Amino acid sequence: MSLATTLLDWLVPDPVRTSLPGWLALPPLPPTEALWAFVWLLGVSWLLLRFLMLFTSGLTGLATRHLPPAWSDIVAGHAVLARLGWIFPVLAVNRGVVLIPSLGGPFIDWVQRVTLAMLAVVTARTVGAVIDAAHTFYQRHLVGDRHPIKGYVQISKLLLYISAAYLAVSAVADRSPWYFLSGLGALTAIFLVVFRDTLLSFVAGVQLVNNDLVRVGDWIQMPQFNADGEVIDIALNVVRVQNWDRTITSIPAHKFIEHAFTNWRGMFESGGRQILRTVHLDMAGVRFLRPEEIERFGRFVLLADYIHEKQAEIDAWNATNLAEEEADILANGRHLTNIGTLRAYILEYLRRHPRIDTASTLVVRQMEPTSHGVGLQLYAYVRDTDLSTFERVQSDIFDHILAIVPDFELRLFQQPTGADLAGRRELPA
């Protein structure tokens, strides 16, 4: 028994199959009339197809008018009903050719095998449309952005179409599907070579989704591929990133497992952006504060508490640990410095800034002295993730810091320019 006969026996129930020839089968016909009957069968099948296309189009229009826009787009966009309508004309030719016995057994068997192959392809396209519609619904109404499944959808459709092609070839060759499995070893080797990147990307895509490493909408940085922007698509083979200059970078999915990348999602979820920047000061200006400077800084709103508490602490330590004759030498005691006072000023300025998140880490620390001077590093968080707002707040903060540094008798460090070396530029005293 051929594969075509076996599958058709399953598709068409036995009572129908045995009863149809009894009252619909044509009597023996001359070859020319038999061919005309076959042409008429094809014409009737084509008319059935046109009717089904009009019918499904009407159903789609009805759904578009009465369903919400999100649902109507899904119904109309993937043409599930239109693809389903192809199955019945193909079945009509497949079963109708049996009613024209004058065509001859070999020709009837060939037509049934070809239509069975077409049926496998049409069914696969219909199931593929259903999968696409389900994927669209998942993306719009469930958690498609948080847990994308596009890779699973693509691999499912790939396996579906490979299976349909396999069954179609088996039907046309009139061989059992198991017959072709004898060459499975060689086929597997070819499959691994041809679909190497696809298989690697599929495994990587499973890890990306299951471990929640990347989502659509995430800002990622991957310098190896010049990617710095927002993820716009996670597919089976590639992850597409729209860079901030509006270019598109396509990265193989398995590269995300092989290479390191930065995902800024945590920054957006925390609700704040980090400031991590250093102001470099000329070490030649670092010194102890004079009494009149201590008095002046004590009148600063941001430094009044610091000066009062720190000076009281220093005076108490010096009184306890220094003799009267030792207190006259600066090196023997503790004293306020201009750089330490500047650091306290910047810290208090940040604490009172309305756009700084004081509940997060807030540090102003002194860095190791280098050939570029000594640095004061600011470590803080702005209460906003919007880039333009963040840059505006950060610039305002450093505008103030750069302007206030000379009040502490300190200089900002910068490399000398040609004008400095030529003596044409006056430096502040």
Side-chain angles (χ1 to χ4, degrees), residues 82-154:
R83 295 188 180 186
L84 182 63
W86 277 85
I87 295 178
F88 300 100
V90 175
L91 277 176
V93 174
N94 189 285
R95 298 314 297 165
V97 72
V98 180
L99 305 179
I100 314 175
S102 301
L103 290 172
F107 182 79
I108 293 174
D109 184 63
W110 179 81
V111 171
Q112 286 190 313
R113 286 188 278 119
V114 171
T115 52
L116 186 60
M118 293 177 60
L119 185 63
V121 174
V122 170
T123 302
R125 294 184 72 243
T126 304
V127 175
V130 173
I131 293 174
D132 287 337
H135 181 223
T136 302
F137 174 80
Y138 176 83
Q139 284 184 306
R140 293 183 181 179
H141 301 283
L142 299 177
V143 289
D145 290 340
R146 183 177 295 272
H147 300 289
I149 60 171
K150 188 172 183 178
Y152 297 106
V153 170
Q154 290 181 323

Side-chain angles (χ1 to χ4, degrees), residues 28-43:
L29 298 172
T32 304
E33 294 184 9
L35 287 177
W36 275 111
F38 180 68
V39 171
W40 274 99
L41 174 62
L42 295 179

Side-chain angles (χ1 to χ4, degrees), residues 16-220:
V16 177
R17 188 179 67 256
T18 55
S19 62
L20 283 178
W23 59 279
L24 284 180
L26 297 176
L29 298 172
T32 304
E33 294 184 9
L35 287 177
W36 275 111
F38 180 68
V39 171
W40 274 99
L41 174 62
L42 295 179
V44 170
S45 300
W46 182 81
L47 290 176
L48 176 61
L49 176 62
R50 298 305 303 169
F51 170 76
L52 291 174
M53 291 298 101
L54 291 174
F55 180 71
T56 55
S57 177
L59 286 180
T60 302
L62 187 64
T64 303
R65 287 192 298 271
H66 292 86
L67 290 178
W71 286 86
S72 61
D73 291 345
I74 295 175
V75 173
H78 299 286
V80 176
L81 296 177
R83 295 188 180 186
L84 182 63
W86 277 85
I87 295 178
F88 300 100
V90 175
L91 277 176
V93 174
N94 189 285
R95 298 314 297 165
V97 72
V98 180
L99 305 179
I100 314 175
S102 301
L103 290 172
F107 182 79
I108 293 174
D109 184 63
W110 179 81
V111 171
Q112 286 190 313
R113 286 188 278 119
V114 171
T115 52
L116 186 60
M118 293 177 60
L119 185 63
V121 174
V122 170
T123 302
R125 294 184 72 243
T126 304
V127 175
V130 173
I131 293 174
D132 287 337
H135 181 223
T136 302
F137 174 80
Y138 176 83
Q139 284 184 306
R140 293 183 181 179
H141 301 283
L142 299 177
V143 289
D145 290 340
R146 183 177 295 272
H147 300 289
I149 60 171
K150 188 172 183 178
Y152 297 106
V153 170
Q154 290 181 323
I155 197 66
S156 299
K157 292 177 64 178
L158 178 63
L159 294 176
L160 174 67
Y161 291 136
I162 290 176
S163 301
Y166 183 70
L167 291 175
V169 171
S170 300
V172 172
D174 200 22
R175 295 285 186 176
S176 169
W178 300 106
Y179 174 82
F180 296 99
L181 293 180
S182 58
L184 185 61
L187 181 64
T188 302
I190 296 175
F191 187 83
L192 290 177
V193 172
V194 174
F195 296 101
R196 172 184 174 275
D197 289 340
T198 300
L199 293 174
L200 288 175
S201 297
F202 173 69
V203 174
V206 171
Q207 297 184 49
L208 289 178
V209 173
N210 289 345
N211 296 326
D212 199 20
L213 299 180
V214 178
R215 303 175 190 168
V216 174
D218 284 354
W219 170 19
I220 67 168

